[in-house]
Amino acid sequence: MAETDLAERVVDWLTDYRWEVYQEVQINSFGSIADIVAVQNNLVWIIECKMSASLAVLEQANGWIPWAHFVSVAIPGRAAYNRTGYFFSY
């Protein structure tokens, strides 16, 4: 599975729950690009999609906290434990 495949699954899940979904969004000029920004009822959720958890990705997600109500990191789950993946949320 590639990050794009993981992002596609996350986008499908979000749209099933009626979130408006935007991909590869630059929040501020010359800033980082968020993998997924979802909006519903004036709530903003930023999700980074990565192939594994690390301190670097948690630091990256931490940087989005001022810009969103919810911030998460989606990583693929192990087939033996979980077929859909995991979310780390702030």
Side-chain angles (χ1 to χ4, degrees), residues 3 8 17 20 27-28 30-31 47 50 57 68 74 76 89:
E3 277 186 24
E8 183 178 328
Y17 286 92
E20 291 179 47
I27 303 295
N28 55 357
F30 306 107
I47 303 169
K50 300 297 178 212
V57 73
S89 297

Short mmCIF file of all heavy atoms in Angstrom, two decimals, residues 3 8 17 20 27-28 30-31 47 50 57 68 74 76 89:
data_model
loop_
_atom_site.label_atom_id
_atom_site.label_comp_id
_atom_site.label_asym_id
_atom_site.label_seq_id
_atom_site.Cartn_x
_atom_site.Cartn_y
_atom_site.Cartn_z
N GLU A 3 1.11 5.65 0.25
CA GLU A 3 0.41 6.72 0.98
C GLU A 3 -0.83 7.19 0.24
O GLU A 3 -1.84 7.53 0.85
CB GLU A 3 1.35 7.91 1.23
CG GLU A 3 2.22 7.73 2.44
CD GLU A 3 3.05 8.95 2.76
OE1 GLU A 3 2.67 10.08 2.38
OE2 GLU A 3 4.09 8.78 3.42
N GLU A 8 -6.67 7.63 -0.03
CA GLU A 8 -7.93 7.34 -0.73
C GLU A 8 -8.93 6.67 0.21
O GLU A 8 -10.11 7.01 0.22
CB GLU A 8 -7.65 6.45 -1.93
CG GLU A 8 -8.87 6.15 -2.76
CD GLU A 8 -8.54 5.28 -3.97
OE1 GLU A 8 -7.43 5.40 -4.52
OE2 GLU A 8 -9.42 4.48 -4.36
N TYR A 17 -19.15 9.87 5.81
CA TYR A 17 -19.70 10.57 6.97
C TYR A 17 -19.96 12.05 6.68
O TYR A 17 -20.08 12.86 7.59
CB TYR A 17 -18.77 10.40 8.18
CG TYR A 17 -18.88 9.01 8.75
CD1 TYR A 17 -18.03 8.00 8.34
CD2 TYR A 17 -19.86 8.70 9.67
CE1 TYR A 17 -18.14 6.71 8.83
CE2 TYR A 17 -19.99 7.42 10.18
CZ TYR A 17 -19.13 6.43 9.76
OH TYR A 17 -19.25 5.16 10.26
N GLU A 20 -16.69 17.42 3.92
CA GLU A 20 -16.13 17.98 2.69
C GLU A 20 -14.63 17.75 2.77
O GLU A 20 -14.00 18.10 3.77
CB GLU A 20 -16.41 19.47 2.59
CG GLU A 20 -17.85 19.84 2.38
CD GLU A 20 -18.02 21.34 2.31
OE1 GLU A 20 -17.25 22.00 1.57
OE2 GLU A 20 -18.90 21.84 3.01
N ILE A 27 -2.01 25.57 3.92
CA ILE A 27 -2.82 26.38 4.83
C ILE A 27 -2.42 27.85 4.78
O ILE A 27 -3.26 28.73 4.73
CB ILE A 27 -2.73 25.85 6.28
CG1 ILE A 27 -3.15 24.39 6.33
CG2 ILE A 27 -3.53 26.70 7.23
CD1 ILE A 27 -4.60 24.12 5.99
N ASN A 28 -1.14 28.13 4.82
CA ASN A 28 -0.68 29.52 4.75
C ASN A 28 0.43 29.64 3.71
O ASN A 28 1.06 28.66 3.35
CB ASN A 28 -0.22 30.03 6.12
CG ASN A 28 0.85 29.16 6.74
OD1 ASN A 28 1.23 28.14 6.20
ND2 ASN A 28 1.34 29.54 7.90
N PHE A 30 3.67 29.81 1.77
CA PHE A 30 5.01 29.26 2.01
C PHE A 30 5.04 28.26 3.17
O PHE A 30 6.08 27.96 3.70
CB PHE A 30 6.04 30.37 2.24
CG PHE A 30 6.07 31.37 1.13
CD1 PHE A 30 5.55 32.64 1.32
CD2 PHE A 30 6.58 31.04 -0.10
CE1 PHE A 30 5.56 33.57 0.30
CE2 PHE A 30 6.60 31.96 -1.13
CZ PHE A 30 6.09 33.23 -0.94
N GLY A 31 3.88 27.76 3.58
CA GLY A 31 3.82 26.82 4.68
C GLY A 31 3.78 25.38 4.20
O GLY A 31 3.88 25.08 3.02
N ILE A 47 -5.65 15.79 8.56
CA ILE A 47 -5.17 14.42 8.69
C ILE A 47 -3.93 14.24 7.82
O ILE A 47 -3.95 14.53 6.63
CB ILE A 47 -6.25 13.40 8.27
CG1 ILE A 47 -7.51 13.61 9.11
CG2 ILE A 47 -5.72 11.97 8.41
CD1 ILE A 47 -8.72 12.85 8.60
N LYS A 50 0.54 8.68 6.62
CA LYS A 50 1.93 8.20 6.58
C LYS A 50 1.93 6.68 6.64
O LYS A 50 0.99 6.06 7.13
CB LYS A 50 2.74 8.76 7.75
CG LYS A 50 2.80 10.27 7.78
CD LYS A 50 3.51 10.82 6.57
CE LYS A 50 3.53 12.34 6.60
NZ LYS A 50 3.48 12.94 5.30
N VAL A 57 6.52 12.45 12.34
CA VAL A 57 5.14 12.68 11.87
C VAL A 57 4.28 13.26 12.99
O VAL A 57 3.40 14.08 12.73
CB VAL A 57 4.52 11.41 11.25
CG1 VAL A 57 4.16 10.37 12.30
CG2 VAL A 57 3.29 11.78 10.45
N ALA A 68 -6.64 23.86 13.20
CA ALA A 68 -7.75 22.90 13.09
C ALA A 68 -8.34 22.58 14.45
O ALA A 68 -7.69 22.73 15.48
CB ALA A 68 -7.26 21.62 12.43
N ALA A 74 -3.04 9.22 10.07
CA ALA A 74 -3.55 7.91 9.64
C ALA A 74 -2.37 7.08 9.16
O ALA A 74 -1.55 7.54 8.37
CB ALA A 74 -4.56 8.08 8.52
N PRO A 76 -1.44 2.78 8.00
CA PRO A 76 -2.09 1.50 7.71
C PRO A 76 -1.97 0.56 8.90
O PRO A 76 -0.97 0.57 9.62
CB PRO A 76 -1.34 0.97 6.50
CG PRO A 76 -0.07 1.72 6.43
CD PRO A 76 -0.28 3.02 7.16
N SER A 89 -4.72 10.77 17.17
CA SER A 89 -5.41 12.06 17.18
C SER A 89 -4.92 12.93 18.31
O SER A 89 -4.53 12.46 19.36
CB SER A 89 -6.92 11.87 17.32
OG SER A 89 -7.41 11.17 16.21
#
